[in-house]
Amino acid sequence: MILNRFRVHRSFLAFLALTAGFFGASAFHHASAAEIHVSPSGSDTNSGTPDSPVATLARAKELASRFAGKESVTVRVADGVYYLSDTLVFSPSDSGSQEHPITYSAVNEGGAILSGGRRLDLHWKPYRDGIYSAQTEPGLQIDQLFVNGTNQRMARYPNYDASKKTAAYQGFAPDAFSKKRAAHWADPKGGFIHAMHRSRWGGYHYQITGKDDSGEVTFEGGWQNNRPSGMHSDFRMVENIFEELDAPGEWYHDADQQTLYYKPASDIDLSTALVEVVRLRHLIEFQGSVEQPVRFVTLRGFVIRHAARTFMDTREPLLRSDWAIYRGGAIFLTGTENVSILDTEFDQVGGNAIFFSNYHRHALVKGCHIHDAGASGVCFVGDPDAVRDPLFGYGRKNDLAKIDRTPGPKTENYPSDSVVADCLIHGIGRVERQPAGVLMEMAARITVRDCSVYDCARAGINIGDGAWGGHIIERCDVFDTVQETHDHGSFNSWGRDRYWRSDRETSQVAIDREPSLPFLDAVETTVIRNSRWRCDHGWDIDLDDGSSNYDIYNNLMLAGGLKLREGFRRRAWNNITVNNGFHPHVWYNNSGDEVFSNIFMAASRGARMPSEKAKGKRVDGNLFYSPDPNARDKYRKFGWEVNSLVGDPLFVDPENGDFRVREGSPAFQIGFENFPMDQFGVKKPALKAIAKTPEIPTLITSANADTSTPHSRSTAAVELPTFWLGANASSLSGEEFSAFGVRKEDGGVALSSVSADSEAAKAGLKDGDLIQAINGHKVKEVSDLLAAYNQAGNADLVVKVVRNQAEMEIAIPTAAYVLTESQATPDGFSKLVVPSSPKGTIAASRSTNNAPLKSLIDGRLENGYGPIFGNNVYLGAYRIDLGSTKPVSSVTSWTANHNGQRGSQSVTIYASNSKNDPGWDLTDRSRFTPIGTIDTTTVKPATFNAASIRAKPGQSLGRYRWIYWQTNPVTDKGENSAFQELAVE
């Protein structure tokens, strides 16, 4: 019926045009309201017919609004460039209706270009060194310069290098704005500093205000991150500095002197070049509300170009997520229903491309190509006032006794029931470094379907919190993400909702009483399914702090694997993680998490878990295909993977990305079901033809793993357990730093198994603490911890600790300490003298070579091997039986640096007060107490060397009968220490 009405209107246009004077203008406009034509060659005094088009969309909108909701209206926009003098604003009066929608459509998709800029008519003349200059009009401000349709670069240091795709800013320098560098700048005012976050969680931006009297650069800004910790010391870049104009494609505009300087590339002919600058931030706005929304308006087939950068106004915190945002975009919408943006290209816009703010229902973004955006692609961000008990900033905490117990939002002012479908989104974060291809925050039931998202500075798809869930992400292809940043995922989410606190124990107590608390905001399940993910600088799918109520299935993960941190009720099944596996980080007790029927290609890598209580509902029934034969069994003692299998899944064609499994695969025994491998990403033919796909990795399996190294599988290195003050201490590895919220560059040593009676607990340390310094000495890994502890001797300690991602210092009066001494001769020892009558009976866990075992307690030192464990023997152990339980004040061992390489020690001391032989299973805490670890491999040994763990005078290490020395090789060839003597006092 609508199409017939259109035909009737068109058939009478010519007749009505002739009779307009008789019937009056209103009759003519009513008749032409069904179809209004716009052309660059038109005039706004025209009637809008095909033969008499108007010139601007503003005039077309004015004509259309007269019949909005009464007649279906199509505004047809001819090919050409439309420079918008002002933002095109749609208000509720411009709405259509379900029966009579309003459509603004390019006659030919991609032919009608809407520009937020203007064209400059310049007269260029040579300046110097390949730079040209041109006079500009008074008052002109230039945010971006486009030449022949391509965005050029402000003069910058260091210069842009496109080959450095994953380097910060494609070129960075620690001295970017140093005093020395700035000495060559006459006046840097108006320049910009861009710097990565200290932990590479996005970036900061600052505007230079000048130089102070000492020559230091002054600036303001840095509010673009919701977890600020200062700019990175290395990853920095400056732009808009005249003296840095030295590379092809760079420009600088001196507004005071009304002069534009530009160094063109060799293929640019300035006499014919099209030069354009940006004027508008928002090209199109929809300005409605919950009470009066803009309804049933469609934009179709346009190119959106020349939107200004907005990085200095990116400052609104998105609740307690890591992000801040600028609430705006090239198309900015607030308060809409049934608004669609279809088949539209967003070309090099300076900020967000599409931003849905506050109230929206049934919005549709489909068939769009969003590329090279300064910030995010599509954003759905609700009103914080719709959130119950909202907080802003990571460190803020709710009083859980007082929070609102009402589930869900408290107003309707948020996006919901909307779709992003069949879109190609890439080149995200060209200016800002904390964007996403698609962002959902304070929103419900957003579907992202059939989208290809890649080449992103940070996440491909990001959900900022659990409020209010119900999202569906399906059949997407997301890869080459987190390219310049760190600690994130191709998919990333947070769940720092009203129940969540950074001091997790407080939340745990409250949730133990009220298991419904995590679901007050995450009220509906979010589904991630049938998609392909690849992140080489983080995780493929990363559910971070508190993320709850997720179903994750039928996903192919090509690089980073699956991470679940904190949160409740996450179910992950029927997924494939290529060359990687499952990363459980910091779970709550009784989380209800289930991980089953997946194909993993690496052992699970837990961070601060699992434990007896924090192990979820079910992590079992998976298939492991890994060069590590023990990959399945890493956490078996916690009940994980007891029914899982090890075997080749028999992938169909992994080299070409087909990871379905063939008939006879053991994957079918765990309940795995094949899912399509040809469904990922954009489907629209024109977009699919230009869309990239991820690189498919070569499988790392037992069949092709490198076994040529000295520590191949039969003699694989095994980490020596490290204990400090009675707590287990371990270096961070892989992506574990994420669990502690620290930079990978800073590292740290994590404490676990901090029993209540340990010295660590008595000193105020807790399970999950991260040690980063002792007495001012940085601690990046275990060797640093032990070296700093050794150096402290019997002095008290001041320990820098990261707890719940916050730094603190703890003073520790030392109860036990390490003492070392090295001498050229056996009789040279003055502090650690070999006892003349050693006590006890000696034994070893396995056979030793060279000297007999009894020589370890004969009171003599010789420059020989002693009773040594063979090369590549890991976790060998010696022990002394004291005959009865008695107080122990010191445990000491002496070595000879035989052949110049056997004098160092890497040893952990255990003790037992068992009446009977306790055996050799030193992991059994019912029998063995860890005393501490000694590592002298960082100290150059002398001919003879001694190391001792000792109690302070008048104290003891405890009452024990059995003392054990568990050792590891001390050379890169797998050679063990040449122990000469062991003693217990």
Side-chain angles (χ1 to χ4, degrees):
M1 180 177 295
I2 293 174
L3 289 177
N4 289 336
R5 185 180 296 115
F6 275 36
R7 294 190 187 100
V8 169
H9 286 174
R10 285 197 297 268
S11 67
F12 278 97
L13 283 178
F15 168 77
L16 292 175
L18 292 173
T19 59
F22 179 79
F23 286 100
S26 62
F28 170 76
H29 287 143
H30 182 272
S32 64
E35 194 168 277
I36 300 167
H37 292 262
V38 185
S39 171
S41 61
S43 170
D44 279 356
T45 61
N46 289 344
S47 58
T49 67
D51 297 329
S52 184
V54 297
T56 67
L57 272 73
R59 177 57 177 163
K61 184 178 72 71
E62 182 181 336
L63 295 175
S65 67
R66 299 180 183 182
F67 306 99
K70 304 171 186 176
E71 299 286 345
S72 299
V73 180
T74 299
V75 176
R76 299 193 178 278
V77 185
D79 291 359
V81 179
Y82 298 84
Y83 293 107
L84 304 180
S85 58
D86 295 292
T87 300
L88 183 66
V89 177
F90 291 88
S91 66
S93 62
D94 297 307
S95 295
S97 65
Q98 185 170 5
E99 183 181 1
H100 301 300
I102 309 294
T103 300
Y104 291 76
S105 179
V107 172
N108 298 298
E109 183 179 329
I113 299 170
L114 307 185
S115 168
R118 55 173 293 192
R119 181 173 180 172
L120 298 184
D121 183 14
L122 302 173
H123 300 284
W124 296 100
K125 59 182 181 180
Y127 174 64
R128 60 170 171 78
D129 301 327
I131 301 170
Y132 288 77
S133 66
Q135 289 298 114
T136 58
E137 64 189 61
L140 179 66
Q141 299 293 322
I142 302 179
D143 172 73
Q144 295 172 83
L145 181 75
F146 287 78
V147 176
N148 294 337
T150 299
N151 198 352
Q152 307 300 294
R153 300 190 179 280
M154 282 181 169
R156 57 169 276 177
Y157 170 75
N159 289 331
Y160 176 84
D161 186 343
S163 67
K164 297 178 179 178
K165 192 172 183 180
T166 61
Y169 306 108
Q170 287 66 63
F172 61 87
D175 69 338
F177 58 96
S178 67
K179 182 177 179 179
K180 182 178 179 180
R181 189 84 194 177
H184 302 286
W185 303 340
D187 183 9
K189 184 178 180 180
F192 297 104
I193 297 169
H194 304 276
M196 302 300 289
H197 184 282
R198 185 174 180 271
S199 298
R200 297 175 69 182
W201 297 337
Y204 297 111
H205 311 274
Y206 306 82
Q207 185 158 26
I208 296 174
T209 56
K211 292 191 286 186
D212 63 20
D213 292 341
S214 70
E216 296 284 356
V217 173
T218 59
F219 50 86
E220 62 183 10
W223 42 66
Q224 293 85 1
N225 197 289
N226 201 20
R227 288 189 69 185
S229 64
M231 67 175 78
H232 200 283
S233 58
D234 296 327
F235 301 146
R236 303 172 173 190
M237 179 268 284
V238 293
E239 65 173 358
N240 206 31
I241 306 293
F242 177 64
E243 289 81 1
E244 302 297 350
L245 204 172
D246 60 358
E250 289 188 348
W251 61 272
Y252 176 82
H253 182 230
D254 188 333
D256 293 337
Q257 299 299 316
Q258 301 168 216
T259 304
L260 175 63
Y261 299 90
Y262 174 55
K263 186 170 185 174
S266 59
D267 59 347
I268 299 293
D269 181 357
L270 284 181
S271 65
T272 59
L274 170 64
V275 180
E276 298 166 297
V277 296
V278 174
R279 296 177 58 254
L280 302 178
R281 292 185 169 201
H282 303 171
L283 278 68
I284 299 173
E285 291 185 0
F286 288 73
Q287 296 181 357
S289 63
V290 174
E291 297 77 17
Q292 290 186 300
V294 182
R295 305 176 68 241
F296 292 99
V297 176
T298 295
L299 305 178
R300 182 192 296 273
F302 296 101
V303 175
I304 304 294
R305 189 177 289 166
H306 304 149
R309 304 186 301 175
T310 53
F311 59 88
M312 286 306 295
D313 288 312
T314 298
R315 61 169 72 205
E316 179 186 341
L318 291 182
L319 297 181
R320 287 189 289 174
S321 77
D322 287 0
W323 290 17
I325 198 127
Y326 168 70
R327 198 176 281 261
I331 296 183
F332 176 61
L333 309 94
T334 184
T336 73
E337 293 178 357
N338 299 93
V339 165
S340 299
I341 302 171
L342 310 177
D343 303 318
T344 292
E345 178 184 359
F346 292 80
D347 176 18
Q348 305 170 89
V349 297
N352 303 310
I354 306 172
F355 200 107
F356 291 94
S357 174
N358 295 341
Y359 177 75
H360 298 278
R361 297 295 183 271
H362 309 295
L364 174 63
V365 178
K366 185 177 181 182
C368 292
H369 183 194
I370 302 171
H371 63 91
D372 302 294
S376 292
V378 185
C379 301
F380 295 90
V381 181
D383 177 8
D385 287 340
V387 180
R388 299 180 190 275
D389 301 301
L391 294 174
F392 303 90
Y394 175 86
R396 301 288 302 278
K397 301 174 184 178
N398 274 318
D399 182 341
L400 298 183
K402 298 178 181 179
I403 61 171
D404 189 336
R405 259 60 178 179
T406 307
K410 62 180 179 182
T411 76
E412 293 295 312
N413 203 24
Y414 60 91
S416 181
D417 301 291
S418 297
V419 177
V420 179
D422 210 5
C423 290
L424 174 57
I425 304 173
H426 61 97
I428 298 303
R430 291 297 192 231
V431 178
E432 303 182 37
R433 294 304 191 263
Q434 202 169 47
V438 181
L439 168 67
M440 291 158 272
E441 173 85 37
M442 297 172 284
R445 297 184 298 280
I446 306 298
T447 295
V448 184
R449 175 184 295 135
D450 297 323
C451 290
S452 292
V453 185
Y454 55 86
D455 190 12
C456 301
R458 203 124 175 86
I461 299 174
N462 189 85
I463 297 177
D465 53 59
W468 290 276
H471 312 299
I472 297 176
I473 295 141
E474 60 183 358
R475 299 195 302 272
C476 290
D477 202 9
V478 186
F479 57 97
D480 289 354
T481 61
V482 196
Q483 296 207 99
E484 298 172 60
T485 56
H486 227 7
D487 189 9
H488 213 54
S490 286
F491 171 85
N492 184 84
S493 66
W494 292 285
R496 299 168 188 162
D497 302 327
R498 68 184 104 160
Y499 86 91
W500 185 89
R501 291 171 56 113
S502 57
D503 52 342
R504 189 166 47 93
E505 297 83 358
T506 303
S507 292
Q508 183 73 70
V509 170
I511 295 164
D512 287 343
R513 290 195 300 261
E514 295 181 74
S516 63
L517 290 184
F519 308 102
L520 295 178
D521 290 310
V523 290
E524 297 183 51
T525 302
T526 290
V527 176
I528 305 173
R529 65 190 179 195
N530 297 301
S531 295
R532 181 168 62 186
W533 310 87
R534 176 163 185 162
C535 183
D536 292 88
H537 304 100
W539 296 272
D540 297 332
I541 297 178
D542 178 4
L543 270 61
D544 212 346
D545 298 354
S547 299
S548 298
N549 205 357
Y550 277 78
D551 281 351
I552 304 169
Y553 61 93
N554 292 3
N555 292 282
L556 175 61
M557 293 173 250
L558 295 176
L562 169 66
K563 170 189 160 188
L564 304 181
R565 177 185 169 116
E566 296 180 340
F568 290 83
R569 201 218 153 272
R570 284 83 57 90
R571 301 177 71 247
W573 74 95
N574 220 70
N575 302 288
I576 302 169
T577 62
V578 178
N579 298 335
N580 211 312
F582 176 44
H583 298 255
H585 284 199
V586 198
W587 286 10
Y588 287 98
N589 300 341
N590 306 311
S591 66
D593 293 322
E594 297 181 85
V595 180
F596 60 96
S597 299
N598 302 286
I599 299 175
F600 292 140
M601 292 187 64
S604 297
R605 299 184 65 177
R608 297 174 57 188
M609 64 92 50
S611 66
E612 283 302 325
K613 292 184 177 180
K615 57 185 177 181
K617 183 177 180 180
R618 171 172 50 149
V619 181
D620 199 4
N622 299 294
L623 175 64
F624 285 82
Y625 182 38
S626 169
D628 177 2
N630 301 312
R632 174 193 60 182
D633 301 323
K634 184 174 182 180
Y635 298 123
R636 202 174 179 88
K637 67 180 182 180
F638 295 102
W640 284 17
E641 314 297 3
V642 295
N643 297 300
S644 295
L645 304 178
V646 175
D648 186 343
L650 304 176
F651 293 130
V652 170
D653 186 9
E655 292 81 5
N656 292 301
D658 189 348
F659 288 87
R660 292 175 299 162
V661 300
R662 301 195 300 269
E663 184 178 353
S665 169
F668 294 126
Q669 299 178 41
I670 61 165
F672 182 85
E673 297 180 4
N674 279 321
F675 55 94
M677 296 285 162
D678 58 357
Q679 64 182 353
F680 309 122
V682 67
K683 307 295 189 298
K684 182 180 175 180
L687 297 180
K688 188 172 183 178
I690 62 173
K692 294 182 180 179
T693 55
E695 179 181 349
I696 304 300
T698 300
L699 297 187
I700 301 173
T701 69
S702 57
N704 58 23
D706 181 9
T707 58
S708 62
T709 62
H711 301 321
S712 60
R713 189 172 305 129
S714 60
T715 57
V718 180
E719 184 179 356
L720 180 73
T722 299
F723 290 91
W724 178 69
L725 303 184
N728 185 275
S730 58
S731 303
L732 302 186
S733 62
E735 304 296 336
E736 284 183 310
F737 64 93
S738 169
F740 299 89
V742 299
R743 298 194 311 164
K744 202 168 190 176
E745 298 94 321
D746 292 337
V749 172
L751 301 185
S752 60
S753 303
V754 182
S755 61
D757 58 350
S758 67
E759 292 300 323
K762 294 174 184 177
L765 295 169
K766 295 184 177 182
D767 203 272
D769 280 349
L770 187 75
I771 308 301
Q772 286 197 317
I774 293 179
N775 290 355
H777 298 284
K778 288 186 177 180
V779 172
K780 294 183 66 174
E781 53 190 29
V782 163
S783 60
D784 299 325
L785 173 80
L786 297 177
Y789 185 52
N790 292 356
Q791 186 174 342
N794 63 355
D796 291 345
L797 308 178
V798 177
V799 181
K800 177 185 173 183
V801 174
V802 176
R803 178 180 297 166
N804 294 322
Q805 303 194 28
E807 293 183 3
M808 63 180 66
E809 284 192 347
I810 296 178
I812 300 177
T814 304
Y817 65 98
V818 171
L819 181 63
T820 62
E821 186 177 4
S822 296
Q823 298 294 341
T825 61
D827 58 2
F829 288 95
S830 60
K831 300 176 183 177
L832 298 175
V833 178
V834 178
S836 57
S837 301
K839 305 179 182 68
T841 304
I842 191 72
S845 61
R846 58 183 299 167
S847 61
T848 56
N849 301 322
N850 301 93
L853 266 177
K854 64 181 181 180
S855 66
L856 287 175
I857 53 172
D858 64 1
R860 294 185 299 171
L861 301 181
E862 296 181 359
N863 190 6
Y865 284 110
I868 195 168
F869 291 114
N871 292 354
N872 294 313
V873 171
Y874 287 79
L875 305 184
Y878 307 99
R879 80 175 180 199
I880 286 180
D881 176 9
L882 299 175
S884 62
T885 298
K886 57 190 66 177
V888 173
S889 61
S890 67
V891 178
T892 311
S893 50
W894 290 260
T895 58
N897 196 29
H898 191 55
N899 293 334
Q901 54 192 1
R902 304 286 186 139
S904 299
Q905 297 187 31
S906 178
V907 57
T908 294
I909 310 299
Y910 296 86
S912 175
N913 57 11
S914 175
K915 293 181 179 179
N916 302 314
D917 186 341
W920 297 96
D921 182 6
L922 300 177
T923 65
D924 185 350
R925 289 295 161 268
S926 67
R927 296 187 180 190
F928 295 98
T929 298
I931 300 299
T933 298
I934 298 171
D935 188 335
T936 65
T937 57
T938 60
V939 180
K940 185 177 180 179
T943 305
F944 296 97
N945 307 274
S948 178
I949 292 183
R950 312 176 74 81
K952 281 190 172 182
Q955 301 182 28
S956 76
L957 299 175
R959 293 177 58 83
Y960 304 109
R961 172 178 172 176
W962 313 82
I963 302 297
Y964 287 70
W965 289 258
Q966 187 177 54
T967 72
N968 253 10
V970 291
T971 75
D972 56 7
K973 296 179 181 179
E975 298 165 311
N976 275 281
S977 303
F979 285 98
Q980 292 294 305
E981 198 73 16
L982 305 177
V984 180
E985 296 189 32

